[in-house]
Amino acid sequence: MKPGTAAKIFRALFAAGRKPRAFSTQQYKSVPTETADAVVIGAGVVGIAVARELAMKLGREVLVIESAPSFGTGSSSRNSEVIHAGIYYPRNSLKAAFCVRGRKLLYKYCEEHDIPHKQIGKLIVATGSSEIPKLDLLMTRGTENGVEGLRMMEGHEATRMEPELQCLRALLSPASGIVDSHSYMLSLLGDAENHGAIFSYNTTVTGGEYEGDRVKLYMSESRALKDWDGKSPLKPDLILSPRILVNSAGLGALALSRRIYGLDNGIIPRPYFARGCYFTLSNVKTPPFQHLIYPIPEDGGLGVHVTLDLNGQVRFGPDVEWIDGVDDISSFLNLFDYSVPGDRANQFYPEIRKYYPYLKDGSLEPGYAGVRPKLSGAKQGPTDFVIQGEEIHGIPGLINLFGIESPGLTSSLAIAEHVAARLSR
C-alpha cells in the first residue's frame, strides 16, 4: 500500500454515503478500485493481534476492516475473560497448541505492558461419581498438552481451599487466570497503529471475487447494509485488492467466505451459533470464591462456571442456547440478541447449586450475553480451530480463520504468530 493509499480508500468509501442498489457485473467499472498490501477483516482480539504481528514482525502495511464502530464489540468482549491453561483440548489439536503457547505469550505480554490480569488458578470439579472418569480424562489431556502444575485432589482438600465449594473431587490448574480483555485489546491496537496499521470502522466486506492471483473485496459502509435484503446484488462502494488477506471476521467469517466467488464452497464448514448468558452474584459482602470454579464440560461449552473479574465481582455462565436461522447480514453486523431475560436465572440456580449449594434465592442478577462462532452443533461434539491457507483453497496470500471461539482470547498471540509465519514463506 503506497503512502496515501489508505486516505484514498477512505475517501472513496465514505464520500457518497450511498444506499445499496442492484447492479450487474458490467457496472463494476464504475466502482472505485484500490490495491493494498495486507488486509485483516475483523477487529476482534485475534484480528488485532494478527494486524499487530503483520505490522511489527513482517513490516507489512496493514489495513484492518471492521463493520462495527469500534474494536472488539463481538465475541472478544462478551466472554469470561479467562486465561485458559490448555486442559480441555485433544493432544496435537490447534486449540491445545495455541492455548498453551498463547497463555505463556499472554502472561508475558500482560507483564510487559501493565495489562491488568491475575493468575488466580482454577478448580474443575466433579460433583457426582459418574463425573470422576471425565475429570481423570481432563487430567490426562492437560498433562499431554504440557500444562504445568496440574493436581488432582479429593473433595475435602478442595473445600479447604474454597469453603463454599461442594464436590467429590477436583482438578487444580494453577496456570489459569483472568485478564482485562479491553485493556489487552487496546494495547494490541496501539502496538499495531504505532507500526503503521490503519483501522477502518463502520466498513463491511460483503463478498468478493478471486481473479488472477488476488481476491477482490467488495466493501460498503455498514449503515448501508440495513437496507439490503442480503440476497439481491449489492453495488459496493469500493473494490479493494490486497496482496495478502486474513479473514478474521469471527461470527461472520464463514458467511463472508461463501460470498467470495472463486473460493470453493465445499471446503467451507457449516456455521453454528451458540448464545450464552451470564448472571452476576449480588447481595454478598465478600466473594464466596477466590479461584475460578468450573464443572465438567457440557455439550457446546465448558458448563455454567464461576468467574471473577479483577474487582472481585463474581459471575456465573455461560449457558448454551443454539441459534438457528442466522442470516448473513446479522453475522456481518453482529445483529444478535444480547439481552439476558431475568427468568433465565431459574435455569442457572440448579446448575450452580451442584457445586455451590449455599447460593441464595434472588442473588442472581442479569449480566450480559455472548455468541460463539462454532463449527459443530448440538450433540455433535467439539471441533478444532480451522485455519485454511493456500494448501487448502488454492488462493495465494489468503488465510481463513474459522471457528475461533474459546480459547481464542488466550490463543490470540499464538494464532497471530502462526498466521504471520505462514504468510512470510
Side-chain angles (χ1 to χ4, degrees), residues 333-398:
L333 300 182
N334 192 22
L335 301 178
F336 294 91
D337 179 7
Y338 288 113
S339 62
V340 181
D343 60 3
R344 199 172 186 85
N346 296 331
Q347 302 173 33
F348 274 63
Y349 281 106
E351 294 300 313
I352 298 168
R353 284 172 175 153
K354 291 177 182 178
Y355 56 81
Y356 179 29
Y358 309 108
L359 177 65
K360 296 179 180 179
D361 288 337
S363 58
L364 296 182
E365 295 184 350
Y368 59 95
V371 176
R372 286 155 277 181
K374 302 183 78 67
L375 302 180
S376 60
K379 308 298 183 183
Q380 294 182 8
T383 56
D384 201 4
F385 292 150
V386 170
I387 299 181
Q388 293 182 345
E390 182 180 359
E391 76 287 352
I392 299 296
H393 50 60
I395 300 179
L398 170 64

Side-chain angles (χ1 to χ4, degrees), residues 51 79 92 237:
N79 57 71
N92 297 323
D237 295 314

Side-chain angles (χ1 to χ4, degrees), residues 297-311:
E298 63 178 358
D299 178 48
L302 299 181
V304 174
H305 50 260
V306 178
T307 63
L308 299 90
D309 64 21
L310 291 159
N311 296 318

